[in-house]
Amino acid sequence: MSNYDSIDHVIGASLFLDDLPEPVNCLHAAICPSPVAHGKLKKINIDKALGIKGVITILTADSIPGENQIGTIIQDEPLLADKEVDFIGQPVALVVAGTARQADKAVKLIELEIEELPPVFDPRQAAANGDFIAPSRTLALGDIDKAWEKCATVVEGRTETGGQEHLYLEPQGSMAMPDERGGIMLYSSTQSPTAVQRVTSRVLGIAMHLVQVEVKRLGGGFGGKEDQATVYAVLAALAALHTSTSTKLILNRQQDMQYTGKRHPYSSDFKIGLDENGKILAYEVTYFQNAGAAADLSTAVLERSLYHATNAYYIPNVRITGHCCKTNNVPNTAFRGFGAPQALFVIESAIAKAAGMMKLPAWRIQEKNLLKEYDTFPYGARARQCHAKRAFSEILHSQKWEVTQKDIFNFNKNNSLIKKGAALMPICFGISFTTGFLNQAGALIHIYSDGSISVSTGAVEMGQGVNTKIIAIVAHTLGVNTDIITVQPTATRTVANTSPTAASAAADLNGMAAKLAADTLRLRLMDTAASRLGEHVSGISINNGKILLKGQPTELDWHALISDAYLSRINLSAQAHYATPDIYFDKNIEKGQPFAYYVYGTASIQVSVDILRGIVTIDAVNILHDAGRSLNQDIDRGQALGAIMQGIGWLTMEELVYNKEGRLLTDSLTTYKVPDIHSMPSEFNVSFMEDTDNPHAVLQSKGIGEPPFLYGTAAYFAIMNALIAARPDKPMFFNAPLTHEKILHFLTCE
Amino acid sequence: MKTIINGVKISLRAEWFDKDLLDFLREDLDLTGAKRGCGIGVCGTCVILINELPVQACKKTVADIVDMTVLTIEGMSNKDDPLHPLQQAFIDAGAIQCGFCTPGMVLTAHAFLLKNNCPSREEIRKAIKGNLCRCTGYQQIVDAIEEAARHYRK
């Protein structure tokens, strides 16, 4: 089954937020952003702006009836700046006007009086100043201080990974309509309808049941609409409340790039110790996370970095420290991988550097240290259904890795203008929100009297195919065809208290809730069929829309059964709730089992580098991935391919450049480069392990959204290997993204 | 003054000429298949065809379509055949995820295949270099266009 939305997408009929019909007289809002990264907000002069034709009102912090607070994990972020501005692009005022053009024009006439304060953009500087979002955390295993003396090789180093712009193609936006009883109806391009509802309720000072949020679909999210969509929804709601008129707020691309948080940049220190055979005995790492000016999701992102510090390896002695550093950048946020990619880059850099010292290929060290069943992670959980070694060895075999390495060596010996490089990347990614209470979901299923089925869950469709998977789960459970099932827009009035569509867990959680609701309905319907047929329920089954008795067809089909059930006054609606069992964490001792299960796999990436021009060609990407019993291989393959490209983009070309005042210079698609069609590898294969079960998720499946992003890391090290082949006199460096500019600099400078 | 959009003749008024063509299509004609992705003509989500040539509607004004024939995604298929073979190929190849780039991608590919119905994969890549997709990794899109090409040879 192809993606449920595909037909509407391909004929242009699917509606995104900005495509929804606007209510009559709909107003348009525009944000007045802070022009400086840090300062005292002395005065906002709106007199000239109010004079612009069409301007209805201009809202500031004083206009907020409830709390001026949008922070979720930590309440440290005002909706509209009050007394202080902490980053460039921070909303200071909101202009509401008849048209978007009028609002934009008025924004330019707002005069801000700001007494500038010195900004901080470097997380290490913030740490030195003691500016943290939250207390630092340390995880430890074994006795690292004693372990160093047992090591034959000890290597230290420093790594940098840059931020990353989500660049969902549909910019942020929302539309708010005043509702009866002082309520608000909100359409938002958000991954977190409940977060939008909760924060709107807090800011407007009205109860959550007066705020309705509905999401049809997103034009991409990637984490960028998990927390960051909230501010635009709440601003639109505030405007609708003040004007008693529907108000729309859509960011243009440049505003979106300037105002919204990105993947967290990390600056990290590592120290790794190995025995003479390449067995890693000790690993110590410290992450300086650039959280930006407010918490957003930073502490949770850092938590996942801590848990993924050792990637797919067992290391007996570990100390992992994470600092959540407060700077004057835009508050950084969720982005596919959620801190794991940053951590992975550090351990892989440590291995690459150690390999160089030991004159061993890095893949030998990777291979020797892979997790096996029941190995302990630094936070105390154990690897289960562990396929790390299997994936790695199957890739070694299928890619004829040792032969390939020799071929590359010989090629590089005979060619001076092109150098080739290759790298392997094993991965291990834990599935579940590390914030335990978020691991719950609800579903509501109605069967109408004609037999057609409506499913509502808390999952937001953003191209990842979650609705298609939920339809398949409900169809499978009820024994009907998929074509009589519709998934409704995600709405807080149908399914309440939803978790964000995030953490690669939307299909796991919402799919399981939908399955539980469908199970309830199936049992009721089997009872109905049994009494209609005068048989015991144990002989009844439903398959392919047919009602079977002991496996044989009966007079009843699905439509007749539903009609019968309705006339017999059977409840044809069911609601269910699912909470992931057996996950816990004790922050006092930093031990627990935060994940329901792990996803494993291995990537092999081969590249060619044009030594004169510095141009990289990704020749081949081959992946063996553990998707459990995939709910839909086409969708899972699509997720994997797209995630890998994003991972390659992050580490090789996507570069956020700021001036010294902290203004983002790469704020348009002409200056911020994401993978385009030329970045597509000529050989690009994702295979799935065919026989891996997963008892910890719905129908033995596994989450797919984030783990494959990690495979892109191999591109960095493959390119680095090619560069070292060209310049064996120079040391490797670990400063991503490895842009064209850095490559040329490395190749040409002494 | 007139234009033909998706086979329908539309009279144009001179006072509309300065209007952004993408706004005109989306707001005045309710043809929301063309999306506003970047507003500066580099992402490809607003691609439409003017006299069978792909153009970024966000970089044009209404004046640019006077006496022209315009095709938007809404006009790709017809009532008898709800999906054009190219559209079907996009679905079959899994070339669609969030769908935001899809209308522009399909129309760019359509214009290309009308001119070259036997393309190499390299030629397909060149043809869609102005269309960004953040979801798929592109491979499935190239597959879809390659598969659809045979229908243009008929």
XYZ file of all heavy atoms in Angstrom, chain A residues 2 7 9-12 14 16 18-19 101 164-167 169-171 218-220 222 253 462-463 638-639 641-642 645-646 654 669 674-678 680-682 684, chain B residues 23 26 32-33 35-38 40 42-43 45 73-74 82-83 87 90-91 96-103 106 121 125 128-129 132-140 142:
659
model
N 0.663 2.130 -0.949
C 1.457 3.360 -0.977
C 0.871 4.337 0.043
O -0.205 4.110 0.590
C 1.446 3.979 -2.366
O 0.129 4.309 -2.723
N -2.373 10.104 -3.434
C -3.215 10.518 -4.572
C -3.568 11.996 -4.457
O -3.438 12.765 -5.410
C -4.474 9.630 -4.680
C -4.048 8.201 -5.067
C -5.456 10.203 -5.700
C -5.178 7.221 -5.199
N -1.937 14.256 -2.859
C -0.719 15.060 -3.043
C -0.417 15.242 -4.527
O -0.063 16.323 -4.982
C 0.486 14.362 -2.398
C 0.537 14.457 -0.906
N 0.013 15.509 -0.199
C 1.066 13.626 0.026
C 0.222 15.320 1.100
N 0.850 14.180 1.252
N -0.553 14.175 -5.289
C -0.059 14.206 -6.663
C -1.013 14.949 -7.609
O -0.620 15.353 -8.697
C 0.253 12.759 -7.134
C -0.970 12.056 -7.664
C 1.390 12.738 -8.132
N -2.260 15.136 -7.161
C -3.169 15.948 -7.985
C -3.338 17.352 -7.388
O -4.128 18.150 -7.886
C -4.552 15.270 -8.164
C -5.258 15.080 -6.815
C -4.411 13.923 -8.885
C -6.674 14.535 -6.927
N -2.589 17.634 -6.351
C -2.637 18.983 -5.767
C -3.880 19.238 -4.937
O -4.233 20.380 -4.669
N -4.477 17.923 -1.782
C -4.311 17.880 -0.331
C -4.068 19.291 0.197
O -3.301 20.050 -0.383
C -3.172 16.939 0.062
O -2.072 17.131 -0.771
N -2.686 21.960 2.825
C -1.761 22.304 3.904
C -2.308 23.569 4.567
O -3.258 24.177 4.057
C -0.354 22.530 3.350
C 0.252 21.269 2.782
C 0.004 20.886 1.478
C 1.039 20.458 3.574
C 0.538 19.714 0.961
C 1.581 19.282 3.066
C 1.335 18.913 1.755
N -1.639 26.703 4.770
C -1.835 27.930 4.002
C -2.822 27.732 2.847
O -3.175 28.686 2.162
C -0.475 28.430 3.471
C -0.525 29.894 3.054
O -1.402 30.626 3.552
O 0.313 30.294 2.222
N -3.250 26.490 2.618
C -4.220 26.219 1.560
C -5.658 26.228 2.085
O -6.605 26.196 1.297
C -3.964 24.825 0.948
C -2.546 24.676 0.417
O -1.926 25.698 0.067
O -2.066 23.530 0.344
N 0.800 41.970 3.737
C 1.694 43.027 3.259
C 1.628 44.250 4.178
O 2.651 44.851 4.513
C 1.310 43.385 1.815
C 2.467 43.905 1.000
C 2.236 43.734 -0.491
N 2.571 42.389 -0.945
C 1.887 41.715 -1.874
N 0.826 42.234 -2.424
N 2.273 40.521 -2.254
N 21.739 22.708 12.315
C 21.126 22.305 11.050
C 19.726 22.905 10.982
O 18.956 22.814 11.940
C 21.043 20.771 10.953
C 20.531 20.273 9.606
C 20.529 18.747 9.490
O 20.469 18.045 10.486
N 20.573 18.246 8.264
N 19.442 23.538 9.865
C 18.116 24.112 9.620
C 17.202 22.984 9.136
O 17.582 22.208 8.262
C 18.253 25.216 8.560
C 16.981 25.642 7.861
C 15.918 26.197 8.795
O 16.259 26.945 9.728
O 14.738 25.858 8.577
N 16.002 22.915 9.690
C 15.116 21.803 9.322
C 14.724 21.853 7.849
O 14.631 20.837 7.180
C 13.848 21.833 10.169
C 14.123 21.751 11.645
N 14.479 22.849 12.387
C 14.111 20.699 12.492
C 14.663 22.474 13.648
N 14.458 21.172 13.737
N 14.446 23.051 7.406
C 14.024 23.251 6.030
C 12.898 22.325 5.573
O 12.913 21.798 4.450
C 15.205 23.169 5.056
C 14.937 24.170 3.944
C 15.652 25.456 4.193
C 15.287 23.599 2.627
N 9.656 21.935 3.829
C 9.334 22.848 2.710
C 8.126 23.730 3.005
O 7.965 24.795 2.425
C 9.159 22.061 1.412
C 10.502 21.622 0.799
C 10.284 20.818 -0.474
C 11.405 22.803 0.509
N 7.260 23.283 3.914
C 6.133 24.130 4.310
C 6.558 24.960 5.520
O 6.831 24.408 6.578
C 4.927 23.260 4.710
C 3.748 24.066 5.206
C 2.866 23.303 6.216
O 3.372 22.415 6.917
O 1.679 23.626 6.286
N 6.626 26.283 5.369
C 7.056 27.094 6.517
C 6.053 27.012 7.672
O 4.926 26.538 7.522
C 7.096 28.513 5.942
C 7.115 28.354 4.468
C 6.368 27.091 4.175
N 1.329 18.051 7.804
C 2.432 19.008 7.718
C 3.217 18.763 6.434
O 3.383 17.620 6.010
C 3.408 18.850 8.890
C 2.861 18.784 10.315
C 4.011 18.779 11.305
C 1.945 19.935 10.594
N 3.737 19.837 5.883
C 4.657 19.707 4.757
C 6.064 19.540 5.279
O 6.947 20.361 5.045
N 6.270 18.469 6.031
C 7.560 18.204 6.646
C 7.636 18.789 8.045
O 7.058 19.849 8.316
N 10.323 17.116 10.853
C 11.699 16.733 11.218
C 12.090 17.197 12.616
O 13.267 17.325 12.925
C 12.710 17.276 10.180
C 12.298 17.052 8.746
C 12.052 18.117 7.896
C 12.139 15.760 8.261
C 11.643 17.903 6.585
C 11.727 15.545 6.953
C 11.484 16.611 6.109
N 9.945 32.173 4.074
C 11.110 31.301 4.275
C 12.210 31.992 5.066
O 12.811 31.412 5.964
C 11.638 30.824 2.915
C 12.876 29.942 2.999
C 12.648 28.652 3.778
N 11.576 27.866 3.210
C 11.043 26.796 3.802
N 11.486 26.380 4.967
N 10.045 26.149 3.221
N 3.064 13.803 8.652
C 3.948 14.832 8.082
C 4.777 14.265 6.949
O 5.883 14.732 6.677
C 4.813 15.459 9.178
C 5.458 14.477 10.114
S 6.145 15.360 11.545
C 6.749 14.003 12.521
N 4.229 13.231 6.312
C 4.935 12.628 5.197
C 5.580 11.310 5.571
O 6.012 10.552 4.709
N 11.544 4.582 2.255
C 11.510 6.021 1.961
C 12.011 6.841 3.136
O 12.776 7.791 2.974
N 11.576 6.463 4.345
C 12.038 7.161 5.547
C 13.550 7.029 5.689
O 14.244 7.988 6.008
C 11.362 6.571 6.786
C 9.944 7.035 6.987
C 9.901 8.495 7.358
O 10.333 8.901 8.417
N 9.415 9.314 6.459
N 15.879 6.347 3.327
C 16.629 7.073 2.287
C 16.657 8.568 2.592
O 17.703 9.220 2.501
C 15.998 6.826 0.912
C 16.112 5.401 0.345
C 15.199 5.223 -0.871
C 17.547 5.075 -0.053
N 15.491 9.103 2.957
C 15.416 10.541 3.230
C 16.240 10.927 4.443
O 16.907 11.963 4.456
N 19.992 10.976 3.633
C 20.364 12.190 2.889
C 20.455 13.391 3.825
O 21.349 14.225 3.693
C 19.345 12.482 1.784
C 19.484 11.611 0.574
S 21.098 11.751 -0.211
C 20.878 13.306 -1.027
N 19.520 13.477 4.773
C 19.575 14.592 5.729
C 20.821 14.493 6.600
O 21.429 15.509 6.933
C 18.337 14.577 6.627
C 17.280 15.551 6.194
C 16.061 15.526 7.101
O 15.970 14.743 8.043
N 15.116 16.379 6.786
N 25.502 21.413 4.993
C 24.564 22.368 5.579
C 25.287 23.179 6.649
O 25.586 22.675 7.725
C 23.356 21.630 6.160
C 22.579 20.894 5.076
C 21.295 20.265 5.573
O 20.676 20.833 6.481
O 20.913 19.213 5.036
N 17.550 30.037 0.873
C 17.968 28.837 0.144
C 19.092 29.114 -0.845
O 19.650 28.190 -1.418
C 16.766 28.225 -0.574
C 15.916 27.362 0.339
C 14.588 27.042 -0.288
C 16.664 26.078 0.663
N 21.151 22.683 1.061
C 20.683 21.354 1.481
C 20.894 20.401 0.311
O 21.065 20.836 -0.827
C 19.192 21.362 1.889
C 18.989 22.186 3.138
C 18.310 21.856 0.755
N 20.882 19.088 0.569
C 21.080 18.153 -0.539
C 20.040 18.377 -1.647
O 18.839 18.479 -1.375
C 20.882 16.787 0.120
C 21.255 17.006 1.554
C 20.784 18.396 1.861
N 20.530 18.517 -2.858
C 19.614 18.574 -3.998
C 19.840 17.307 -4.818
O 20.542 16.388 -4.381
C 19.806 19.867 -4.809
C 21.177 19.963 -5.443
O 21.944 18.975 -5.412
O 21.510 21.037 -5.975
N 19.267 17.282 -5.978
C 19.309 16.054 -6.766
C 20.744 15.628 -7.082
O 21.041 14.436 -7.187
C 18.469 16.237 -8.052
C 18.346 14.935 -8.829
C 19.034 17.319 -8.952
C 17.429 13.944 -8.228
N 21.648 16.594 -7.167
C 23.043 16.237 -7.471
C 23.727 15.547 -6.294
O 24.775 14.935 -6.460
C 23.835 17.484 -7.874
C 23.341 18.080 -9.151
N 23.269 17.361 -10.327
C 22.866 19.309 -9.433
C 22.772 18.124 -11.273
N 22.515 19.315 -10.757
N 22.406 13.134 -4.666
C 21.909 11.754 -4.578
C 23.008 10.777 -4.985
O 23.585 10.902 -6.055
C 20.707 11.609 -5.497
C 19.988 10.295 -5.379
S 18.739 10.166 -6.673
C 19.533 9.010 -7.772
N 23.317 9.817 -4.144
C 24.340 8.833 -4.513
C 23.894 8.027 -5.728
O 22.693 7.746 -5.869
C 24.415 7.915 -3.283
C 23.688 8.623 -2.195
C 22.705 9.529 -2.834
N 24.838 7.649 -6.587
C 24.407 6.871 -7.764
C 23.999 5.457 -7.352
O 23.132 4.861 -7.959
C 25.464 6.860 -8.859
O 26.724 7.135 -8.352
N 22.400 3.564 -4.161
C 21.738 3.983 -2.925
C 20.753 2.886 -2.522
O 19.644 2.824 -3.035
C 21.013 5.308 -3.184
C 20.653 6.129 -1.970
C 20.031 7.370 -2.128
C 20.942 5.706 -0.690
C 19.687 8.152 -1.033
C 20.608 6.483 0.416
C 19.980 7.700 0.228
N 0.306 34.298 -5.936
C -0.835 34.776 -5.137
C -2.116 34.743 -5.969
O -3.178 34.371 -5.473
C -0.593 36.213 -4.649
C 0.415 36.262 -3.504
O 0.672 35.201 -2.901
O 0.944 37.360 -3.237
N -3.291 31.139 -6.225
C -3.715 30.561 -4.944
C -4.909 31.299 -4.339
O -5.835 30.679 -3.840
C -2.546 30.580 -3.942
C -1.411 29.624 -4.301
C -0.244 29.732 -3.300
N -0.717 29.581 -1.944
C -0.924 28.418 -1.344
N -0.687 27.301 -1.991
N -1.376 28.372 -0.112
N -4.579 25.954 -5.210
C -3.567 25.944 -4.142
C -2.534 24.825 -4.308
O -1.713 24.600 -3.419
C -4.234 25.817 -2.752
O -5.037 24.633 -2.765
C -5.097 27.019 -2.437
N -2.590 24.138 -5.449
C -1.595 23.076 -5.685
C -0.182 23.620 -5.756
O 0.763 22.975 -5.296
N 2.683 25.645 -4.331
C 2.930 26.027 -2.931
C 3.953 27.145 -2.840
O 4.837 27.264 -3.684
C 3.475 24.821 -2.157
C 2.678 23.536 -2.295
C 1.286 23.659 -1.726
C 0.527 22.336 -1.858
N -0.920 22.525 -1.654
N 3.859 27.907 -1.734
C 4.876 28.935 -1.494
C 5.925 28.362 -0.553
O 5.701 28.230 0.642
C 4.234 30.194 -0.898
C 5.212 31.348 -0.749
C 4.526 32.616 -0.255
N 3.704 33.224 -1.277
C 4.171 33.981 -2.280
N 5.455 34.219 -2.389
N 3.359 34.503 -3.163
N 7.066 28.001 -1.113
C 8.108 27.368 -0.303
C 9.211 28.335 0.073
O 9.690 28.323 1.202
N 9.642 29.174 -0.877
C 10.756 30.072 -0.555
C 10.498 31.511 -0.982
O 11.084 32.416 -0.434
C 12.049 29.565 -1.203
S 12.086 29.757 -2.991
N 11.488 33.030 -3.502
C 12.548 33.664 -4.296
C 12.977 32.791 -5.478
O 14.056 32.978 -6.041
C 13.773 34.043 -3.431
C 14.311 32.806 -2.692
C 13.437 35.147 -2.451
C 15.667 33.020 -2.035
N 13.772 29.508 -5.798
C 14.840 28.500 -5.740
C 14.427 27.115 -5.231
O 15.204 26.182 -5.315
C 16.068 28.971 -4.913
C 16.827 30.041 -5.636
C 15.660 29.433 -3.537
N 13.196 26.970 -4.720
C 12.863 25.655 -4.152
C 12.023 24.799 -5.085
O 12.001 23.575 -4.962
C 12.185 25.791 -2.803
S 10.455 26.288 -2.859
N 8.692 24.580 -5.379
C 7.363 24.110 -4.957
C 6.229 24.838 -5.667
O 5.092 24.387 -5.618
C 7.145 24.259 -3.435
O 7.289 25.629 -3.088
C 8.129 23.427 -2.640
N -0.982 21.952 -11.408
C -1.133 20.534 -11.063
C -2.601 20.102 -11.145
O -2.908 18.953 -11.497
C -0.526 20.243 -9.669
C -0.337 18.738 -9.448
C -1.355 20.841 -8.549
C 0.675 18.072 -10.319
N -3.501 21.035 -10.876
C -4.924 20.697 -10.900
C -5.391 20.337 -12.306
O -6.437 19.701 -12.482
C -5.770 21.864 -10.356
C -5.608 22.123 -8.858
C -4.451 23.056 -8.508
O -3.626 23.370 -9.389
O -4.366 23.459 -7.325
N -8.411 9.847 -13.954
C -8.136 10.689 -12.786
C -6.653 10.884 -12.489
O -6.275 11.858 -11.855
C -8.833 9.944 -11.637
C -9.103 8.574 -12.136
C -9.200 8.658 -13.625
N -5.822 9.966 -12.936
C -4.387 10.149 -12.708
C -3.628 10.049 -14.026
O -3.787 9.080 -14.783
C -3.852 9.082 -11.745
C -4.224 9.204 -10.275
C -3.674 8.029 -9.494
C -3.725 10.512 -9.679
N 1.712 10.927 -12.755
C 1.242 11.000 -11.366
C 1.189 9.592 -10.760
O 1.599 9.377 -9.625
C -0.141 11.663 -11.300
C -0.082 13.144 -11.685
C -1.459 13.770 -11.823
O -2.373 13.158 -12.394
N -1.605 14.987 -11.329
N 4.621 8.456 -9.819
C 5.092 9.033 -8.547
C 4.537 8.240 -7.359
O 5.255 7.965 -6.396
C 4.671 10.517 -8.429
C 5.744 11.466 -8.865
C 6.125 11.541 -10.202
C 6.390 12.295 -7.951
C 7.122 12.417 -10.613
C 7.391 13.174 -8.346
C 7.757 13.232 -9.679
N 3.269 7.867 -7.451
C 2.659 7.090 -6.357
C 3.326 5.721 -6.272
O 3.750 5.285 -5.195
C 1.141 6.941 -6.590
C 0.462 8.309 -6.499
C 0.531 5.956 -5.595
C -0.993 8.313 -6.923
N 6.651 10.200 -3.077
C 5.916 11.242 -2.356
C 5.976 10.952 -0.870
O 5.653 9.854 -0.441
C 4.433 11.249 -2.786
C 4.323 11.444 -4.296
C 3.659 12.331 -2.038
C 2.960 11.081 -4.836
N 6.424 11.932 -0.105
C 6.273 11.797 1.347
C 5.362 12.900 1.863
O 4.147 12.721 1.883
C 7.631 11.733 2.049
C 8.295 10.347 1.829
C 9.568 10.163 2.624
O 9.758 10.721 3.688
N 10.472 9.329 2.100
N 5.904 14.055 2.231
C 4.993 15.065 2.786
C 4.104 15.681 1.723
O 3.046 16.200 2.015
C 5.753 16.135 3.558
S 6.434 17.469 2.557
N 4.543 15.649 0.472
C 3.692 16.107 -0.626
C 3.837 17.568 -0.980
O 3.245 18.028 -1.962
N 4.617 18.310 -0.220
C 4.696 19.755 -0.462
C 5.468 20.072 -1.741
O 5.161 21.031 -2.430
C 5.336 20.451 0.742
C 4.919 21.880 0.926
C 3.694 22.183 1.495
C 5.743 22.929 0.527
C 3.292 23.502 1.680
C 5.357 24.254 0.712
C 4.127 24.544 1.283
N 6.467 19.258 -2.059
C 7.232 19.500 -3.287
C 6.594 18.833 -4.495
O 6.998 19.074 -5.621
C 8.676 18.990 -3.143
S 8.863 17.192 -3.274
N 5.618 17.949 -4.235
C 5.132 17.063 -5.290
C 4.538 17.789 -6.505
O 4.911 17.473 -7.646
C 4.120 16.056 -4.699
O 4.733 15.406 -3.581
C 3.703 15.023 -5.718
N 3.626 18.747 -6.322
C 3.052 19.384 -7.523
C 4.128 20.004 -8.427
O 4.105 19.804 -9.651
C 2.121 20.449 -6.942
C 1.725 19.903 -5.599
C 2.977 19.234 -5.087
N 6.226 17.210 -10.108
C 5.502 16.515 -11.175
C 5.449 17.399 -12.432
O 5.698 16.923 -13.544
C 4.074 16.133 -10.708
C 3.211 15.683 -11.884
C 4.143 15.041 -9.645
N 19.177 8.633 -16.700
C 18.994 9.079 -15.314
C 19.725 10.394 -15.069
O 19.272 11.238 -14.301
C 19.473 7.996 -14.330
C 18.484 6.853 -14.214
C 18.956 5.781 -13.256
N 18.751 6.080 -11.840
C 17.610 5.876 -11.178
N 16.552 5.414 -11.810
N 17.517 6.139 -9.891
N 18.125 13.860 -13.651
C 18.689 14.632 -12.532
C 18.813 16.106 -12.900
O 18.440 16.990 -12.121
C 20.082 14.119 -12.168
C 20.107 12.826 -11.409
C 21.562 12.559 -11.033
N 21.734 11.309 -10.334
C 22.486 11.164 -9.234
N 23.146 12.190 -8.750
N 22.609 10.001 -8.656
N 15.464 18.090 -12.903
C 14.786 18.471 -11.650
C 15.751 19.098 -10.640
O 15.469 19.147 -9.449
C 14.016 17.285 -11.019
C 14.927 16.083 -10.750
C 12.852 16.864 -11.897
C 14.274 15.021 -9.893
N 16.851 19.639 -11.140
C 17.828 20.206 -10.213
C 17.297 21.444 -9.481
O 17.798 21.793 -8.424
C 19.145 20.528 -10.930
C 19.064 21.646 -11.954
C 20.457 21.886 -12.539
C 20.583 23.181 -13.314
N 19.724 23.255 -14.504
N 13.572 21.185 -4.872
C 14.068 20.559 -3.646
C 13.024 19.625 -3.056
O 11.826 19.892 -3.115
C 14.405 21.627 -2.599
C 15.631 22.487 -2.872
C 15.796 23.503 -1.747
C 16.894 21.645 -3.017
N 13.524 18.527 -2.494
C 12.676 17.640 -1.701
C 13.458 17.367 -0.433
O 14.622 16.996 -0.501
C 12.403 16.334 -2.453
S 11.642 15.082 -1.403
N 12.848 17.587 0.720
C 13.573 17.382 1.977
C 13.261 16.014 2.577
O 13.841 15.652 3.587
C 13.186 18.504 2.951
C 14.001 18.592 4.229
C 15.485 18.843 4.022
N 16.112 19.466 5.173
C 17.436 19.490 5.375
N 18.262 18.916 4.502
N 17.938 20.108 6.412
N 12.330 15.282 1.945
C 11.883 14.027 2.570
C 12.480 12.768 1.961
O 12.821 11.844 2.681
C 10.368 13.889 2.467
S 9.393 15.119 3.327
N 12.538 12.690 0.645
C 12.703 11.362 0.033
C 14.135 10.930 -0.186
O 14.400 9.740 -0.309
C 12.030 11.309 -1.354
O 12.682 12.252 -2.218
C 10.553 11.594 -1.264
N 15.063 11.866 -0.343
C 16.404 11.481 -0.778
C 16.492 11.359 -2.288
O 17.508 10.924 -2.813
N 15.423 11.706 -2.995
C 15.368 11.880 -4.458
C 15.320 10.594 -5.278
O 14.822 10.595 -6.403
C 16.524 12.740 -4.987
C 16.531 14.139 -4.457
C 17.400 14.517 -3.444
C 15.652 15.101 -4.957
C 17.407 15.812 -2.937
C 15.654 16.394 -4.458
C 16.536 16.750 -3.457
O 16.543 18.027 -2.968
N 15.883 9.506 -4.770
C 16.016 8.336 -5.641
C 14.676 7.893 -6.231
O 14.575 7.583 -7.417
C 16.627 7.176 -4.841
C 16.686 5.886 -5.624
C 17.741 4.959 -5.068
O 18.896 5.024 -5.469
N 17.368 4.135 -4.130
N 13.636 7.895 -5.384
C 12.335 7.414 -5.832
C 11.733 8.364 -6.877
O 10.940 7.954 -7.729
C 11.381 7.292 -4.640
C 11.949 6.511 -3.447
C 12.700 7.406 -2.462
O 13.554 8.215 -2.822
N 12.385 7.251 -1.192
N 13.502 10.094 -9.147
C 14.159 9.765 -10.417
C 13.568 8.464 -10.983
O 13.281 8.363 -12.182
C 15.690 9.641 -10.231
C 16.364 9.214 -11.527
C 16.268 10.967 -9.745
